[in-house]
Amino acid sequence: MKLIFSPLSPFARKVRVLLHETGQLGDVEMVDVATTPLDTHPDAAAANPLGKIPALVRADGPTLYDSRVITRYLDHRAGGRMYPQARLWDVLTLEATAEGIMEAALSMTYEARFRPEEVQYAPWVDAQWQKASRALAAVNARWMSHLAGPLDMSHIAMGCALGYLDFRHDARGWRVGNEALADWYAAVSERESMAQTAPE
């Protein structure tokens, strides 16, 4: 299998952390591509008609894309412990929350990097940050007991989302008012899988 990815993508990082945690790193060739919304890398376009990463190219079936599809497949392949049936709906909901934070943060990044300064729209950026902020507050208020449990895919997704906020939007100070979540993130960041995949 081949993973078409960028080390800066929080969505791709989710997959890479899962590969670490499930012992599948040796089964997947990493294909690092530089791709943007305005200039899609040929490998990304060939793997996914939408041109988005990550994409998992398989020898025995169609290429998989969307990080949640890829992680479900890889977890199933490894025995299914990252999506435990007993708390599946909680895992999926918290993973979706983390993905929403990533999407809002990535939208902010794109507005600054790929739109000319004279047409950048500050209210749009602020609205995206409000989405992320509401999600962070909800996790801090209602999901800490889940995050305190055994590692599952929602933990990985949330860790990657928070890592992306630090990487691209650290000045926004997401930790203020979310101290419990910040403490949790400090601990989960020490896992080898998180340290090995941190964006630089």
Side-chain angles (χ1 to χ4, degrees):
M1 294 183 289
K2 295 182 181 180
L3 183 69
I4 312 299
F5 85 107
S6 164
L8 305 184
S9 164
F11 301 97
R13 187 183 183 193
K14 281 178 54 187
V15 176
R16 295 164 63 216
V17 172
L18 177 71
L19 289 171
H20 275 269
E21 293 287 351
T22 58
Q24 297 182 83
L25 273 177
D27 299 339
V28 180
E29 177 187 348
M30 300 290 176
V31 181
D32 182 351
V33 301
T35 190
T36 76
L38 302 180
D39 185 18
T40 302
H41 191 282
D43 287 348
N48 177 354
L50 299 172
K52 294 182 177 183
I53 53 174
L56 184 68
V57 182
R58 301 181 297 162
D60 59 350
T63 296
L64 302 180
Y65 45 85
D66 186 280
S67 62
R68 281 177 279 189
V69 175
I70 297 171
T71 55
R72 287 296 294 268
Y73 169 76
L74 289 172
D75 182 57
H76 175 76
R77 186 175 183 266
R81 69 183 179 91
M82 291 298 176
Y83 289 96
Q85 194 63 39
R87 57 183 193 279
L88 180 61
W89 302 116
D90 289 346
V91 173
L92 293 175
T93 299
L94 189 54
E95 183 183 15
T97 303
E99 291 255 339
I101 293 169
M102 293 179 200
E103 289 165 2
L106 188 63
S107 180
M108 294 167 63
T109 300
Y110 283 171
E111 183 76 6
R113 293 186 64 200
F114 298 114
R115 285 175 64 88
E117 186 175 356
E118 64 273 14
V119 296
Q120 291 177 19
Y121 191 45
W124 166 261
V125 175
D126 291 341
Q128 300 310 305
W129 182 248
Q130 285 302 313
K131 292 178 184 180
S133 294
R134 288 194 303 268
L136 292 168
V139 173
N140 190 75
R142 300 196 293 269
W143 286 95
M144 296 313 302
S145 61
H146 179 93
L147 289 174
L151 185 77
D152 61 38
M153 196 59 220
S154 67
H155 297 70
I156 292 172
M158 189 57 63
C160 292
L162 298 177
Y164 189 73
L165 293 183
D166 276 354
F167 180 58
R168 292 294 193 196
H169 304 292
D170 186 50
R172 296 272 179 171
W174 68 264
R175 289 171 175 80
V176 177
N178 298 308
E179 285 77 13
L181 184 58
D183 289 345
W184 173 84
Y185 176 63
V188 81
S189 294
E190 295 179 0
R191 295 185 74 90
E192 182 180 357
S193 61
M194 292 293 289
Q196 291 294 322
T197 59
E200 297 179 357

